[in-house]
Amino acid sequence: QVQLVESGGGLVQAGGSLRLSCAVSGRTFSSIAMGWFRQGPGKEREFVAAISQSGRTAYYAGSVKGRFTISRDNGKDTVYLQMNSLKPEDTAVYYCAGGSRDGETNPSNYDYWGQGTQVTVSS
């Protein structure tokens, strides 16, 4: 049984920053490929970023590349999403996810999901 618990969401002005965290338990963290997804009102869940099991390779959606950074600390069993230069269109519920293969962008390829954390960016 793998559990993912997210934190760090909130309300921020456009141009501001937030850092999301996702703590993982129930399995050796270093064996899990991790990703971040988001879902805005009336939209499908979309890929944001992913990171390999080792943390050596990161993947980003074009809409966030250059603004967001995904990282992981295998010693703390935690994955992070640093979000800078936030825009109103970044407003969504953000979810962390775990899977068995590095770099997956389709949410159906992930096995474990966090509860989601709300990010709201005001204009």
Side-chain angles (χ1 to χ4, degrees):
Q1 183 175 329
V2 175
Q3 294 180 319
L4 286 67
V5 180
E6 297 165 290
S7 61
L11 175 65
V12 65
Q13 290 182 315
S17 298
L18 286 172
R19 189 177 79 156
L20 306 183
S21 299
C22 179
V24 180
S25 63
R27 184 181 173 183
T28 302
F29 181 64
S30 61
S31 71
I32 304 174
M34 299 296 299
W36 286 96
F37 292 78
R38 66 187 183 188
Q39 188 167 16
K43 297 182 178 180
E44 295 291 322
R45 190 167 299 185
E46 67 173 345
F47 170 76
V48 176
I51 191 165
S52 64
Q53 296 173 25
S54 67
R56 297 188 185 99
T57 306
Y59 313 81
Y60 297 97
S63 59
V64 307
K65 192 171 185 178
R67 299 189 297 122
F68 292 9
T69 303
I70 188 171
S71 62
R72 67 191 295 161
D73 186 339
N74 287 350
K76 296 182 177 180
D77 293 354
T78 302
V79 63
Y80 305 94
L81 185 68
Q82 178 66 48
M83 305 185 294
N84 299 326
S85 302
L86 283 162
K87 304 175 181 179
E89 52 262 45
D90 295 318
T91 295
V93 177
Y94 283 71
Y95 300 88
C96 63
S100 60
R101 299 181 185 273
D102 294 341
E104 294 282 0
T105 60
N106 189 326
S108 67
N109 291 326
Y110 286 83
D111 301 312
Y112 314 108
W113 293 88
Q115 79 285 356
T117 185
Q118 177 71 47
V119 172
T120 302
V121 184
S122 62
S123 60

